[in-house]
Amino acid sequence: LGFTNSPPIQLTKNGNAYSSNGEEANISKKNFLPFSKFLIDVARQFEKEGIPFKYLSPFNEPQWDWTGNGQEGTPFRNHEIFAVTKILDSLITAEKLNVKIQIAEAAKLNYLYETADKSTRGNQIYEFFNDQSPLFLGALPNVDNVISGHSYFTSAPAATLKSVRGKVAESLGNSSIPLEFWQSEYCFLGDEEEVKGSGKDTGITPALYVARLIHHDLVLASASAWHWWLAVSVYDYKDGLIYTEKNKTDGAIEDSKLLWALGNYSRFIRPGAQRIDVTSENLDVNNVNQLMISSYVDANNQDVVTVIINNGNSDSSIKLHPEGAQIKSWQPYITGPNEGEELKPLSKINGDEPVVIPKKSIVTLVGQML
């Protein structure tokens, strides 16, 4: 996926990669076509290099104002996103380029289903994917049937975590076309979270926090993709999966429990897998302070993958009964607070035996259906 924070500065209104007023796109209407051609040229060049883009994402967090020179970015109003996307869509068709347009990298998930404090930049599921909207993009052949947003600033407290994602799913269900949701960027930001962003922590606490977020994005918001920002960090901050020393050559490399927590999902829940419901008569399977359980069937309908987060202060024992299927055995992998517990494989468990989930850990169970 190729994405832009700002159009090239030779096309922007102020000659910079940041906005002057924060109220509108930092590019005039006359440059919508050159900007779209630039995206096509870049995609074509990468194709020639043997690295074809599957997706182009022309807009990043358009709800923020992006004023000042601290970081590249530009606000885009919904009607400006609509206009650029129509032009880009027509160019992709004319160029016979095999790439889809991704929109719109919403800065917070609530901007997907409500205008909130951005009257011209919010409510994007309705604006772009409801055929009653004048900005409907769902009929364009090269627009992906996916809406993307970022989980920043809605991951805590628990009530907000759950309600926001429930509203995303509800809004997806009201779209005029079958529409998926991608959580397309998250890391720890600032000090508004239960886990502070500053200060490197390679232990289990931030790992459990992110696993909790992934669980709710997948289970409540029905995310079909989940992206972390960023992979490698050199800073005293909780933004890295892997940490390196800030040297030009050589230096130590350190992994984090966060890397392995993410691996409980990314290693075992592969493209094409389908999430299945998890229910219990006597257990809350979506308890942010205790157990959070989600389950998936792979694309070949052979393996069942169940990810269990135990955020509690005591071990838990559960028994799984896949409806309509029989599991010979479960292969557990644990990511926990202790040294060596980084997706560590444990002894296999018979399919009808209970599974112990240690406190403050994530356990993935891979079972092959008979």
Side-chain angles (χ1 to χ4, degrees), residues 264-275:
N264 281 268
Y265 294 91
S266 61
R267 174 171 287 189
F268 302 108
I269 306 167
R270 304 304 302 159
Q274 294 290 315
R275 185 175 59 83

Side-chain angles (χ1 to χ4, degrees), residues 92-109:
I92 290 173
T93 297
E95 291 287 327
K96 296 184 169 126
L97 198 62
N98 187 26
V99 65
K100 290 287 187 181
I101 304 168
Q102 276 270 332
I103 53 176
E105 302 281 353
K108 290 196 300 183
L109 297 189

Side-chain angles (χ1 to χ4, degrees), residues 5 13 40 42 47 73 78 80 83 86 104 109 114-115 143 155 164 178 192 197 202-203 224 250 291 320 359:
N5 284 333
K13 292 177 181 177
I40 293 292
V42 171
E47 185 180 60
N78 286 342
E80 293 165 330
K86 282 195 70 176
L109 297 189
E114 64 180 5
T115 56
V143 171
S155 58
V164 166
E192 298 185 26
T202 59
S224 58
D250 207 358
L291 293 180
L320 299 174
K359 63 184 179 181

Side-chain angles (χ1 to χ4, degrees), residues 6-7 11-14 18-29 32 35 59 62 64-66 73-81 84 120-121:
S6 166
L11 299 177
T12 61
K13 292 177 181 177
N14 61 6
Y18 55 88
S19 173
S20 294
N21 63 24
E23 295 296 327
E24 60 191 11
N26 189 24
I27 182 173
S28 60
K29 190 174 181 180
F32 286 178
F35 175 40
F59 320 100
W64 299 150
D65 293 344
W66 298 114
T74 179
F76 272 92
R77 294 173 290 183
N78 286 342
H79 73 269
E80 293 165 330
I81 292 175
V84 173
T120 61
R121 292 182 260 173

Side-chain angles (χ1 to χ4, degrees), residues 49-85:
E49 298 290 340
I51 314 169
F53 287 162
K54 293 182 179 179
Y55 308 98
L56 282 173
S57 178
F59 320 100
N60 180 60
E61 298 186 337
Q63 289 80 20
W64 299 150
D65 293 344
W66 298 114
T67 53
N69 61 359
Q71 184 176 334
E72 305 93 334
T74 179
F76 272 92
R77 294 173 290 183
N78 286 342
H79 73 269
E80 293 165 330
I81 292 175
F82 173 79
V84 173
T85 301

Side-chain angles (χ1 to χ4, degrees), residues 204 208 283 289-293 308-319 334-338 341 346 354-363:
I204 197 64
L208 287 170
L283 180 70
N289 297 314
Q290 296 293 330
L291 293 180
M292 289 159 276
I293 308 173
I308 307 169
I309 306 162
N310 185 353
N311 202 27
N313 293 314
S314 59
D315 298 351
S316 292
S317 178
I318 65 171
K319 202 169 182 180
I334 186 171
T335 300
N338 302 314
E341 291 181 337
L346 302 177
V355 181
V356 175
I357 313 299
K359 63 184 179 181
K360 300 298 180 184
S361 70
I362 309 160
V363 172

